[in-house]
Each structure stands twice: as structure tokens, then as C-alpha cells.
Amino acid sequence: MTSASVRTKRLTAQTLLLAILILQDFIPALGNIPIGPLSLTTLQITVMIGAVVMGPNTGMLLGGTWGVITWLRAFFYPSSPLAPLIFTNPLIAIVPRLLVGLVAGYLFLWLRKVMKQRWALTIVGAAGAMTNTLLVLGGIYLFAHTPAVAKGYHTDVAHLGTVLGTVLATNGLAEMVMSMILVPAIAIPLLRYTHFNDQK
């Protein structure tokens, strides 16, 4: 296979992943799955799949795209009343999503050298999900610790940290478990039949 055809296949695969990511973001049933009182985002899974199958650079491209979409939507088409109060800050909207791809990609390159692929992908799923959750919630606490944001979470400023901790213990852990299951389930077949990973 020529280098040109490899580049074409990589570009096609990246474009497909970007299209999936955008659809997930704009179609609520794809990007956020309601389970009882929880709403679990699935976009980090697409970012992690791209990172482990095609390498950290693709993971960062996908994560950065997700972040920029989140940031722009907060200005022009907010997904919730809280979005303009939180996600107009790029440190909350963009940086955590970008780091999901970076962490997932490089962690997988390291872990697959020291353990079985399935376990490596399971850990990547947990780490990537927690990267997003911890950095977003931490960013809210550090940069959006305001009465308006607290009111959006149905609390006051003094108790905002407690409420964010509850979000971590409910939505955050549920998204982590979901990612631990779905990342290996999707990535293992893709890794078996593709040779996109950026490792030299």
C-alpha cells in the first residue's frame, strides 16, 4: 500500500469520526443517553476510540473539535441554561476535551506494552472519562463559582462544591463504567483490522 493511499485512508477515517462526533453533539439521543435521573454523555467514547485506534494526534483533534463545538454552542445555541454560564470559558469547554484525546492516546501506547490489550483499553476508558469529568467539574468550581451557576444547580455558592461532588459520584462514575465497557468493545475489533495507530 502506498503512502498516499495510507494517508487517504487515515483522512477518510478521521473525517468519519469527526462526523460521528458532530452528530452525537447535535442529536441528544446520540450524545447524551438518559438513564433514570442521569444523563450520560457518549462523546468522550468517540474521542477515546479515535485516540487508541489512530493515535494521540487524532484523539486530540477529536477532543479539540468537541471542545470548540461546546464552546461555540454556549454562545449561539446553548444546550442548557447553564451552558452560557460555564462553557463560554475555553478552560472549561475546550481544555478538558482536548486532554481526553491526549491522555487516552498516550496511556494506551504505554499500557499495551505492559498488559493485555483488553485491560489496557478498559483502563483507558476509565482514565479518559475521568479526565473529562474531573477537569470540567474542577473548572466549574475554580472559574464559574458564581451565584448564577449555583442557582442553576439548585443550590447556593457555599454548597456548590458539594453538589459538584455529587455529580462526580453519580454521572461521573456512571460515564466511567460505560466507557470502561464500550471502549474495549468497539476498539478491539477496529484495532484488529486497521493499522492506523501513530506509534512508530
Side-chain angles (χ1 to χ4, degrees), residues 70-124:
T70 301
W71 180 64
L72 291 174
R73 285 191 68 187
F75 288 101
F76 303 111
Y77 182 51
S79 57
S80 73
L82 273 171
L85 303 175
I86 295 172
F87 291 120
T88 50
N89 185 335
L91 293 176
I92 305 174
I94 299 174
V95 173
R97 280 79 153 101
L98 189 70
L99 290 177
V100 170
L102 180 71
V103 168
Y106 280 109
L107 184 61
F108 179 65
L109 290 179
W110 175 64
L111 287 177
R112 72 178 185 178
K113 297 175 183 177
V114 298
M115 63 179 64
K116 290 185 177 179
Q117 187 180 82
R118 179 174 292 277
W119 287 112
L121 290 166
T122 301
I123 294 171
V124 166

Side-chain angles (χ1 to χ4, degrees), residues 167-189:
V167 174
L168 171 64
T170 53
N171 258 59
L173 288 180
E175 288 177 357
M176 183 184 75
V177 171
M178 178 178 67
S179 297
M180 291 171 69
I181 295 169
L182 292 180
V183 169
I186 298 170
I188 287 174

Side-chain angles (χ1 to χ4, degrees), residues 5-156:
S5 63
V6 171
R7 285 196 298 271
T8 300
K9 285 192 172 184
R10 283 188 64 85
L11 181 59
T12 301
Q14 287 173 341
T15 302
L16 178 60
L17 286 168
L18 284 168
I20 292 170
L21 191 78
I22 293 168
L23 285 174
Q24 284 177 287
D25 194 83
F26 284 93
I27 300 176
L30 291 178
N32 293 281
I33 302 174
I35 300 178
L38 305 179
S39 179
L40 308 183
T41 183
T42 61
L43 286 96
Q44 80 278 358
I45 294 172
T46 304
V47 173
M48 288 186 277
I49 295 299
V52 300
V53 173
M54 301 187 68
N57 291 338
T58 295
M60 291 178 68
L61 170 67
L62 293 167
T65 301
W66 175 21
V68 169
I69 292 172
T70 301
W71 180 64
L72 291 174
R73 285 191 68 187
F75 288 101
F76 303 111
Y77 182 51
S79 57
S80 73
L82 273 171
L85 303 175
I86 295 172
F87 291 120
T88 50
N89 185 335
L91 293 176
I92 305 174
I94 299 174
V95 173
R97 280 79 153 101
L98 189 70
L99 290 177
V100 170
L102 180 71
V103 168
Y106 280 109
L107 184 61
F108 179 65
L109 290 179
W110 175 64
L111 287 177
R112 72 178 185 178
K113 297 175 183 177
V114 298
M115 63 179 64
K116 290 185 177 179
Q117 187 180 82
R118 179 174 292 277
W119 287 112
L121 290 166
T122 301
I123 294 171
V124 166
M130 279 292 103
T131 296
N132 182 59
T133 300
L134 289 172
L135 291 179
V136 169
L137 294 179
I140 292 171
Y141 187 80
L142 290 174
F143 305 117
H145 203 105
T146 66
V149 170
K151 184 179 179 181
Y153 280 105
H154 307 291
T155 187
D156 54 36

